[in-house]
Amino acid sequence: MAVGTYDPAIEIWDLDVIDAMYPAVVLGRTATTPGKKRADTHTDVILSLSWNRHHRNLLASASGDTTVKLWDLQTARCVTSYHHHTDKVQAVEWNPVENTVLATGGYDKRVAVLDSRAPKQVHGGRLNADVECLRWDPHNPYCFYVSSEDGLVQYVDARQWTANPSAATSSGWDAPLTPIYTLHAHDAAVSAFDVNPAIPGCIVTGSTDAKLKLWNIDESNKPSLVVSRDMDTGELFSLAFCPDAPFKIAAAGSNARVKVWDAYANAGVRQAFADRAKAVVASLGNAAPTTDDKDPIELEDADEEPEDDDEDGEEAGEPYKPAGSDNDENGMDMD
């Protein structure tokens, strides 16, 4: 597991080690000069991380120092750096099929697609607001979703661009994005977003307005709202579909709560995705989602100590008495 920090190092934790005190590997250096770019480490907060699904030793990172870096886990070193953004880089993600293609987005209101084998050829376009989230479509790997601070989600075909030969800087890709469609998802920033890996056309958005919304994208690329819900997590900063249970959604927000909601329990969700979900739900067998509408489950903090259960029916606070030690009201008879 990779964890980006404010130090700004990247910690790699081995989840097979129970109660590990320290990360297995630390990428980058913690003692850096803010604002000064370095080739071997980030010098500002780590904002996004992405594992390469085809080459598990490759990790991409995006930072507030305006750079994107590739790391080799075998050597624990930075392989290369990209400098095509001019402001903080908020999002980075590997393409799920093309194992050398990266998409990035930043606070310079630009998104970019590049091949790591040809870093000077950058495809990209400009938005009207800062980029918040970026996700490739697993059902159509030529396209990706990008959400922004103005509450919009745009679906973009990466094949629309031509390479910019002078892309060592971002000056050559100021043309506005030409999305396939634009969804006005929220009135505030779309700060959390995910694409259902098993159900085509099913996406979820979350915002600083504390609302989670589930959307249905039909075959003609027309989005429609299926359900909106307040997850009681404050401003939403993270959303994710479960890869093994496609209608379970995990949400985390500003009030330090993590909740899991089974969206399939909602009748509107079952109706909207009936045809696409039928085969998926049937394949789950006994693990199929329930149709009983319930509130989201809150995950407890591991640091909180559970209350002690009373043993043998004894009331809390009662001192322990060994068997046969109970005295009558007048005390023990003495011969």
Side-chain angles (χ1 to χ4, degrees):
M1 179 177 68
V3 179
T5 69
Y6 277 84
D7 284 339
I10 302 170
E11 298 177 351
I12 308 297
W13 292 83
D14 187 350
L15 299 184
D16 291 330
V17 179
I18 300 175
D19 296 332
M21 296 183 63
Y22 302 102
V25 178
V26 176
L27 305 178
R29 301 181 182 181
T30 57
T32 59
T33 303
K36 183 179 180 180
K37 297 181 182 179
R38 295 175 58 104
D40 60 339
T41 186
H42 285 298
T43 58
D44 205 338
V45 57
I46 310 298
L47 295 175
S48 181
L49 296 170
S50 180
W51 289 101
N52 191 304
R53 299 181 183 181
H54 303 274
H55 303 288
R56 298 300 296 173
N57 63 307
L58 288 182
L59 178 70
S61 62
S63 170
D65 63 10
T66 76
T67 68
V68 175
K69 295 185 184 295
L70 298 189
W71 303 85
D72 184 353
L73 272 296
Q74 292 181 345
T75 61
R77 293 184 178 182
C78 177
V79 178
T80 187
S81 296
Y82 304 105
H83 304 271
H84 51 279
H85 285 284
T86 59
D87 206 338
K88 296 179 177 66
V89 187
Q90 173 73 3
V92 61
E93 183 161 296
W94 290 101
N95 186 282
V97 175
E98 298 292 338
N99 57 17
T100 61
V101 175
L102 274 170
T104 65
Y107 284 179
D108 55 1
K109 300 180 176 62
R110 293 181 175 93
V111 292
V113 176
L114 58 94
D115 192 319
S116 58
R117 298 169 298 182
K120 292 186 177 182
Q121 294 184 351
V122 178
H123 309 255
R126 175 172 47 82
L127 290 78
N128 293 323
D130 294 344
V131 172
E132 291 287 339
C133 302
L134 192 152
R135 294 286 186 276
W136 288 100
D137 185 353
H139 311 287
N140 184 4
Y142 296 109
C143 299
F144 63 88
Y145 296 88
V146 56
S147 70
S148 51
E149 194 178 25
D150 54 3
L152 301 182
V153 176
Q154 300 183 59
Y155 188 61
V156 183
D157 190 335
R159 295 170 294 183
Q160 68 179 275
W161 295 311
T162 57
N164 172 25
S166 60
T169 67
S170 60
S171 58
W173 39 289
D174 275 333
L177 279 182
T178 307
I180 297 175
Y181 64 83
T182 299
L183 168 64
H184 191 164
H186 298 266
D187 292 330
V190 182
S191 51
F193 180 86
D194 201 17
V195 184
N196 195 309
I199 309 296
C202 178
I203 64 173
V204 63
T205 61
S207 172
T208 52
D209 63 9
K211 295 290 186 181
L212 175 151
K213 294 183 179 182
L214 192 67
W215 302 86
N216 178 23
I217 314 298
D218 62 20
E219 294 181 355
S220 59
N221 288 322
K222 292 183 179 180
S224 59
L225 178 63
V226 179
V227 63
S228 176
R229 184 158 196 162
D230 188 339
M231 296 293 288
D232 192 27
T233 57
E235 298 179 0
L236 282 166
F237 294 141
S238 182
L239 289 172
F241 284 102
C242 175
D244 299 321
F247 284 105
K248 283 187 169 62
I249 303 171
S254 59
N255 63 6
R257 288 182 177 179
V258 178
K259 291 195 173 184
V260 178
W261 176 46
D262 187 356
Y264 196 74
N266 182 278
V269 174
R270 294 196 301 273
Q271 181 178 1
F273 300 102
D275 295 336
R276 282 165 284 174
K278 186 176 181 180
V280 175
V281 172
S283 67
L284 296 176
N286 295 332
T290 179
T291 57
D292 297 331
D293 200 355
K294 298 180 180 179
D295 291 333
I297 300 172
E298 182 173 354
L299 302 184
E300 296 182 357
D301 191 341
D303 293 334
E304 295 181 0
E305 296 183 0
E307 296 182 359
D308 294 333
D309 295 332
D310 297 334
E311 297 181 358
D312 300 328
E314 296 177 358
E315 295 182 0
E318 287 289 328
Y320 172 74
K321 296 180 181 180
S325 64
D326 292 338
N327 300 333
D328 57 20
E329 295 179 357
N330 298 324
M332 183 179 294
D333 293 334
M334 301 293 291
D335 293 336

